[in-house]
Amino acid sequence: MLTAVVAARGEPIRSLPFYPYPQAFLGEEDDLVALFREVGRRGAFILQEDGRRFEDNLARFLGARHALGVANATDGLLLALRAAGVRPGDEVIFSSHTMVATAAAIHFCGAVPVPVECGEDHLIDPDAAAAAITPRTTALLPTQLNGRTADMAELGRLADRHGLMIVEDAAQALGSRFRGQCAGTFGAAAAISFYPAKLLGCLGDGGAVITNDAGIAARVGEGRDHGRSATGEVVGWGLNSRLDNLQAAILDYRLQRYGAVVERRRTLARAYRATLSAVAEVLLPPGPAHDPDHFDVFQNYEIEAERRDDLREALRAQGIGTLLPWGGRAVHQWEALGLQRVLPVTEKLFARVLLLPMHPWLTTDDVEYVGQAIRNFYGGRR
Ligand SMILES: *Cc1c(COP(=O)(O)O)cnc(C)c1O
């Protein structure tokens, strides 16, 4: 018997990768292969029935009028901004604690990305957004980060007061709600991502644009398909940014089972709270029952931790994979992008922030193992 490698408690070391990518296939292998055969035998590859069915089901799930499959959420944000009427030279405000893709979409729209601070829940700080508004500002682009929806009542009032559009980066927030309303349905338009490790992932890249506006939906439909209208006429410049029909078939299959995924993630968040809430050195995200205004779906479990880098190393030694969000820097901190801001709150946060494992194949017992490792690191059997 080989039991040379043991954790601090004398328990065998577990292997808990941050995200177990093969599981995204192995867990449903037979059904996925059957789907592949079935779609392949029909030769239904681009803009076919499976895609339309998925778009209808997704729109119904969100309580939105229109959902349009696109190649990825980054393209989706670009198409949404353009279709909503953001023009070259406009300023668009976003939280610097987001993926670089949020800012890239603004940039490729010809507009100016204006990064601002995040608040205590790590989402855009409405006061910071208000302070960044200039006569050239035309839109707010809040990121619904880590599966949580921002206070859209406050952002909505701000947008109304200044005549701004809202376009949501809901890449991480499928099914997340604020006051009962789903992320992605608050503004002019929104984008959702189906990257494999996202809440609803496919086996490659994929995304969707969500909107209640028929004009925006039509323009995104053209923009993703070479500028062609439904009748095939070229009505403007467009991209090739369509969601593959095979991926759409996989996503539609998974959307039917999505409720269980959300429940699992919320259960794991509850388990993290139970095992870590007494540790003074870490700050946890709001719990699933923290505030009736928010229904969080926990795309990620993002904590703040004292001596973060040492903790990360100690967890690695116990077989636990963690991640620094966005490679360890907020968008404005990547010098190559030339955004040149000082955002002290965000910069301080990025020296403390850490993503713990959070995915549907994790068990509450695994969470207890992670919690024990963190408690041991800070030196107590609390
Ligand atoms: C993943 C992600 C994106 C980009 O999504 P893609 O589908 O990979 O283009 C944008 N914004 C946020 C917040 C994300 O997490």
Side-chain angles (χ1 to χ4, degrees):
M1 286 284 282
L2 281 176
T3 50
V5 188
V6 291
R9 292 156 78 197
E11 202 191 305
I13 295 263
R14 296 190 192 186
S15 169
L16 295 180
F18 179 74
Y19 189 86
Y21 281 93
Q23 281 300 328
F25 179 70
L26 296 172
E28 296 165 331
E29 182 167 351
D30 291 346
D31 285 357
L32 292 172
V33 169
L35 267 178
F36 179 75
R37 280 219 180 85
E38 199 275 316
V39 169
R41 284 174 180 171
R42 273 189 283 130
F45 302 120
I46 302 285
L47 293 180
Q48 296 298 308
E49 190 50 38
D50 309 82
R52 287 188 285 274
R53 189 180 337 115
F54 173 60
E55 290 174 340
D56 288 348
N57 289 333
L58 181 63
R60 194 168 315 118
F61 173 79
L62 291 168
R65 290 225 178 82
H66 309 277
L68 294 108
V70 291
N72 55 72
T74 312
D75 282 6
L77 282 173
L78 169 60
L79 291 165
L81 287 167
R82 276 182 34 173
V86 171
R87 294 284 159 252
D90 291 1
E91 292 177 5
V92 178
I93 294 170
F94 70 102
S95 164
S96 194
H97 184 355
T98 187
M99 190 177 179
V100 67
T102 318
I106 300 168
H107 171 81
F108 283 112
C109 193
V112 180
V114 178
V116 299
E117 300 273 30
C118 58
E120 269 181 15
D121 67 356
H122 301 182
L123 275 67
I124 192 167
D125 174 354
D127 293 333
I133 293 171
T134 76
R136 282 155 55 129
T137 308
T138 57
L140 303 176
L141 207 177
T143 295
Q144 314 295 22
L145 191 72
N146 296 330
R148 181 177 174 86
T149 308
D151 182 338
M152 296 310 292
E154 194 167 353
L155 287 175
R157 279 192 295 275
L158 183 63
D160 286 347
R161 209 176 315 132
H162 295 272
L164 308 177
M165 292 176 270
I166 291 180
V167 172
E168 292 168 76
D169 181 340
Q172 299 197 349
L174 180 69
S176 168
R177 302 196 288 268
F178 176 73
R179 296 190 185 155
Q181 187 177 339
C182 280
T185 66
F186 288 93
I192 291 177
S193 175
F194 306 126
Y195 178 85
K198 295 288 162 79
L199 293 156
L200 182 72
C202 58
L203 302 180
D205 277 313
V209 173
I210 309 303
T211 183
N212 285 322
D213 183 302
I216 291 176
R219 288 191 289 282
V220 170
E222 293 152 11
R224 73 174 175 181
D225 187 34
H226 305 290
R228 292 183 294 203
S229 72
T231 57
E233 249 176 292
V234 175
V235 294
W237 296 108
L239 305 174
N240 177 358
S241 182
R242 302 166 301 213
L243 175 65
D244 290 350
N245 190 63
L246 177 60
Q247 300 292 359
I250 291 166
L251 288 164
D252 197 47
Y253 163 88
R254 290 187 166 168
L255 184 61
Q256 313 310 318
R257 293 150 182 81
Y258 185 58
V261 172
V262 170
E263 265 327 297
R264 175 105 217 108
R265 287 173 178 272
R266 286 169 59 80
T267 298
L268 296 170
R270 230 170 272 127
Y272 269 123
R273 272 220 145 238
T275 188
L276 287 174
S277 58
V279 182
E281 292 88 346
V282 302
L283 209 67
L284 305 178
H290 181 79
D291 169 355
D293 278 352
H294 291 272
F295 182 86
D296 298 348
V297 293
F298 296 93
Q299 161 73 62
N300 295 312
Y301 201 76
E302 184 172 273
I303 66 167
E304 293 178 45
E306 310 268 309
R307 295 161 51 213
R308 190 261 323 264
D309 295 337
D310 292 341
L311 171 63
R312 202 174 176 215
E313 202 41 57
L315 294 179
R316 197 201 319 272
Q318 302 294 309
I320 300 163
T322 60
L323 210 63
L324 301 189
W326 321 124
R329 292 198 224 178
V331 175
H332 76 282
Q333 293 178 296
W334 296 108
E335 272 174 37
L337 303 179
L339 295 175
Q340 287 174 341
R341 301 268 156 159
V342 178
L343 300 174
V345 175
T346 303
E347 286 156 28
K348 196 167 154 228
L349 178 68
F350 268 70
R352 289 167 50 80
V353 79
L354 186 68
L355 299 174
L356 300 180
M358 169 58 83
H359 55 74
W361 305 282
L362 204 65
T363 67
T364 50
D365 195 54
D366 291 334
V367 169
E368 178 49 36
Y369 175 84
V370 176
Q372 180 76 62
I374 294 174
R375 297 201 304 270
N376 288 345
F377 173 77
Y378 290 115
R381 294 272 160 126
R382 283 171 291 210

